[in-house]
Amino acid sequence: MDRSGLIMGFCGLPATSPGAKRGRPLVCLASSSDVVIVGSGIGGLAAAVALRKATNKSVTVLERSNGEDVTDGTSISVWPNAWAAFEALDRDSCERLRSGKVLVESGKVMKASGGVITSWNFDQVWKGFEIRAVPRQEIISELSTLATELGVDMRYSTSVERVDPSSSTIYVEDGSTITAGIIVGADGAGSRVRSSVLKDGSPTVAPLVAYRGIVEGKGISTRQALQVWDDSSSVRFGSVPITEDKMYWFVTGPGTAPRGTSFVTSEEPLQLLDRFPEDLKDLIMKSKRIYRNGLVDRLPSLKWGEETVTLLGDAAHPMLPNLGQGAAAALEDALALASALQHGMDDPTSAKEALRAYERSRFKRASIIQLRSRGVSNLTHWDSPLPAALVSVAFYPPLVFNHCKYTPPLKFT
């Protein structure tokens, strides 16, 4: 979808102006909004939708990309808590995302040399446990369309340099400024909003590199999430079905990669899979695009904001991907933020109180998932083989997946 005309209209400029051409910066010299959200990832867009529905205040989303670049064309696992959040946010959108996606019924961990380490059925957690893989871009498209329909001001090619909590001002790299009643940093693990407020340095870089892709083929999918572990190193392969003819896969192993996502050839992940079955290698070679990125997280922080500035998603609690909870936690944040601000935006004092209440409501649960994700990562990437009994205990479904129980603080019809 070509958003250039839409963006220029929000800035008060004609869609035919030179700045509307693809790739050109599209910014306003100065503006204001009740709420400004920095970052248009899943958490930022979900917050925009939830805040428009809960408060009917003006909401602006700032995104540094031009809105057309697909930087991550892979998939994410949507767990029961994420589905509950999607349903609370917008039931029709939720059903569109769910449509055609395979319900994953079981999981299995195997040795690369053969043999099962452990396996489980998700019904062991609770009956009706729902996990499906959904391409990330489908989620972004659904949420951005919904936000636009609700009147959210979407501004692309707008890169935030810093924010000033004392004046609730956003400084954009082109020299313009934006004032806001509330500023929400949803700009990822390397958040500039966070660095402006918390000044706590960069996130912790894990000694791991991840490769991801999607492979297509008739009848390629099963209803099982699979992990295959190298017998004598920390290299891991995993796959999750998306549709009957599409599967998401990932490979993790020792190493580091530059921050952000880059495209690579199949040679890089294949170098890690010398001792792995040939059919797994074939999946990688058949993938049209392969993405590489480094992995980062942080230890939990008691402070998420200051004055009328707060954080959300990876900006607040970046976590390693081993539990697949990054997007789910961001969706939960979005609903909690909207719930706190539903009756707390009448004046700056009540807004600040509502933001601190939001942060307190989310700290314990987000911190538990952060730490559990790091713990599972340490376990699954142990260099030497772990006893199968230990792995079975660590992956005991009612224990390792109990964080998926979640009741949204509000629901929109």
Side-chain angles (χ1 to χ4, degrees):
M1 169 180 150
D2 183 2
R3 297 186 177 94
S4 57
L6 180 64
I7 300 164
M8 299 308 291
F10 281 134
C11 292
L13 300 172
T16 54
S17 70
K21 294 179 180 178
R22 182 177 179 181
R24 294 285 297 278
L26 304 174
V27 297
C28 308
L29 294 179
S31 60
S32 63
S33 180
D34 292 326
V35 181
V36 174
I37 299 170
V38 182
S40 70
I42 291 172
L45 290 171
V49 171
L51 286 167
R52 280 294 293 162
K53 288 188 172 188
T55 69
N56 202 33
K57 298 291 186 178
S58 62
V59 178
T60 298
V61 175
L62 308 181
E63 170 56 41
R64 63 183 176 182
S65 75
N66 65 13
E68 297 178 354
D69 297 331
V70 180
T71 56
D72 186 349
T74 58
S75 184
I76 65 170
S77 296
V78 181
W79 296 81
N81 51 324
W83 285 119
F86 274 131
E87 286 186 351
L89 192 65
D90 192 271
R91 180 166 292 181
D92 290 341
S93 291
C94 180
E95 288 305 315
R96 285 191 290 269
L97 291 173
R98 182 182 277 132
S99 178
K101 308 304 187 301
V102 169
L103 176 65
V104 181
E105 298 174 349
S106 63
K108 181 165 66 175
V109 180
M110 299 184 62
K111 296 179 180 179
S113 60
V116 177
I117 299 174
T118 188
S119 62
W120 63 89
N121 290 317
F122 283 108
D123 270 354
Q124 291 176 254
V125 188
W126 69 73
K127 191 169 180 61
F129 190 98
E130 181 181 12
I131 172 176
R132 303 175 195 265
V134 181
R136 183 178 183 275
Q137 207 57 32
E138 282 190 30
I139 300 174
I140 293 293
S141 178
E142 189 67 44
L143 290 175
S144 61
T145 298
L146 188 57
T148 301
E149 290 173 351
L150 290 168
V152 174
D153 181 348
M154 301 290 298
R155 301 187 190 178
Y156 296 89
S157 298
T158 306
S159 184
V160 170
E161 183 179 281
R162 63 185 177 89
V163 303
D164 179 6
S166 63
S167 62
S168 204
T169 302
I170 299 168
Y171 294 85
V172 183
E173 284 189 345
D174 70 338
S176 63
T177 61
I178 301 170
T179 58
I182 289 172
I183 299 171
V184 181
D187 47 340
S191 170
R192 292 186 177 181
V193 176
R194 180 178 182 131
S195 65
S196 298
V197 178
L198 271 59
K199 299 179 173 62
D200 57 351
S202 300
T204 301
V205 178
L208 295 168
V209 62
Y211 300 92
R212 296 164 295 136
I214 292 176
V215 61
E216 299 183 35
K218 188 171 179 59
I220 196 172
S221 292
T222 64
R223 294 186 176 272
Q224 183 176 76
L226 173 68
Q227 286 196 33
V228 182
W229 296 5
D230 192 7
D231 296 41
S232 57
S233 77
S234 60
V235 176
R236 305 290 182 253
F237 171 92
S239 64
V240 184
I242 302 174
T243 66
E244 296 294 342
D245 301 322
K246 189 180 294 185
M247 180 183 290
Y248 163 65
W249 62 263
F250 63 87
V251 173
T252 57
T256 58
R259 183 176 294 175
T261 302
S262 56
F263 299 118
V264 299
T265 66
S266 61
E267 293 178 5
E268 281 197 32
L270 289 175
Q271 288 176 355
L272 298 173
L273 301 178
D274 281 346
R275 294 184 290 272
F276 281 66
E278 292 300 319
D279 59 336
L280 302 185
K281 299 178 186 179
D282 288 341
L283 294 177
I284 294 173
M285 289 189 286
K286 291 176 181 177
S287 301
K288 295 179 180 178
R289 274 188 167 181
I290 297 174
Y291 303 80
R292 179 190 66 194
N293 64 284
L295 303 178
V296 300
D297 74 345
R298 288 183 187 268
L299 291 174
S301 171
L302 284 168
K303 184 177 181 181
W304 286 17
E306 184 178 296
E307 299 290 333
T308 54
V309 181
T310 193
L311 302 174
L312 179 150
D314 283 348
H317 43 69
M319 57 189 70
L320 294 173
N322 297 77
L323 292 177
Q325 282 292 306
L331 288 164
E332 291 184 18
D333 288 347
L335 290 172
L337 179 63
S339 178
L341 290 172
Q342 195 168 21
H343 305 293
M345 292 185 65
D346 294 333
D347 57 76
T349 299
S350 62
K352 293 173 190 177
E353 291 173 353
L355 292 179
R356 302 296 85 80
Y358 149 71
E359 293 160 6
R360 288 192 298 271
S361 75
R362 290 294 299 150
F363 173 75
K364 182 179 178 179
R365 178 168 167 79
S367 298
I368 289 171
I369 297 174
Q370 263 184 297
L371 294 173
R372 185 176 289 184
S373 296
R374 181 180 281 197
V376 171
S377 177
N378 290 339
L379 174 68
T380 58
H381 290 95
W382 206 267
D383 284 336
S384 55
L386 292 170
L390 175 60
V391 177
S392 295
V393 170
F395 278 83
Y396 178 58
L399 176 65
V400 75
F401 301 123
N402 63 3
H403 56 264
C404 292
K405 294 179 180 178
Y406 166 70
T407 301
L410 78 175
K411 295 182 179 181
F412 304 106
T413 55

